[in-house]
Amino acid sequence: MPDVAPSSPADAYAALLQGNARFVSGGRLHPNQDADRRSELAPRQKPFAVLFGCSDSRLAAEIIFDRGLGDLFVVRTAGHVAGAEVVGSIEYGIEVLSAPLVVVLGHDSCGAVTAASEAAHGGTAPPGYLGDVVERVVPSVLAARAKGHTGIGEFVDEHIHRTVDGLVGRSVLLANEVAEGRCAVVGLSYRLAEGTVNLVASHGLDA
Ligand SMILES: [Zn+2]
């Protein structure tokens, strides 16, 4: 299937939503997954979006957005927690590869958010480096609670929001790209059962 890569933030966002709609309806096109695409890309990649999502096995990026090789520059961690290497990887996607969109992808029933909620409720921190992940989600849970929210779904939305704001707040490179209109950052919440995404936060996109 011939496929022209989106080059503006709005077009990139629209392409992802269209792919997700195909996934939800069962009408996937599986674009850019053949040998021709593999050959075409071998010399260089030019992904149209950076996808920073939770590592949850049900959030496979190219599947739920019906995309293929070379389309998405994917960074995923449990609970989409963003340490320095993560921010650097996202900066690589927008600065070196010129992707016009960064998507933060969270989801309902997120285990990391649930663990953070339990830890914030006075439970014990999990062992090993698991604690490091949970520790980075706890502030979102506390912020949501301070607004009167009590459900995991609301904690997830707050965590997506804070992840988006945190990326733009910490990365000068990203903030500059957004300010100059070359890049947008959006936060999407994915529903595991339905396969749909919901816009939760946005910088630089009139949506
Ligand atoms: Zn998760």
Side-chain angles (χ1 to χ4, degrees):
M1 169 190 142
D3 196 74
V4 179
S7 57
S8 73
D11 287 351
Y13 182 59
L16 284 181
L17 290 189
Q18 286 160 10
N20 178 248
R22 294 194 298 270
F23 170 67
V24 170
S25 68
R28 284 198 292 154
L29 297 173
H30 307 283
N32 298 336
Q33 296 184 14
D34 57 11
D36 285 349
R37 177 65 167 177
R38 186 180 69 227
S39 307
E40 175 202 333
L41 284 175
R44 66 188 283 266
Q45 60 170 328
K46 198 173 186 330
F48 69 83
V50 174
L51 189 133
F52 172 42
C54 179
S55 297
D56 193 294
S57 60
R58 296 161 290 185
L59 246 62
E62 282 85 356
I63 294 177
I64 67 174
F65 290 109
D66 192 24
R67 301 305 313 188
L69 296 173
D71 290 333
L72 307 177
F73 189 79
V74 178
V75 185
R76 292 168 66 193
T77 63
H80 49 86
V81 297
E85 299 90 339
V86 165
V87 180
S89 298
I90 293 169
E91 287 185 339
Y92 183 82
I94 57 160
E95 201 66 21
V96 179
L97 302 178
S98 304
L101 181 70
V102 176
V103 175
V104 172
L105 184 68
H107 64 100
D108 55 0
S109 310
C110 182
V113 175
T114 303
S117 172
E118 286 164 3
H121 259 300
T124 50
Y129 287 101
L130 286 171
D132 197 66
V133 171
V134 169
E135 203 172 88
R136 289 173 186 270
V137 183
V138 165
S140 298
V141 171
L142 296 177
R145 275 208 212 142
K147 293 176 183 172
H149 300 313
T150 54
I152 294 294
E154 293 161 317
F155 297 167
V156 164
D157 283 0
E158 180 70 28
H159 185 49
I160 294 169
H161 228 289
R162 286 175 62 92
T163 304
V164 167
D165 290 351
L167 288 177
V168 179
R170 285 164 71 194
S171 169
V172 174
L173 292 178
L174 182 55
N176 285 344
E177 292 291 314
V178 171
E180 287 164 23
R182 286 195 298 269
C183 187
V185 187
V186 298
L188 299 178
S189 179
Y190 178 79
R191 294 178 71 88
L192 293 173
E194 292 84 0
T196 51
V197 290
N198 212 26
L199 183 68
V200 174
S202 162
H203 285 259
L205 190 74
D206 299 322

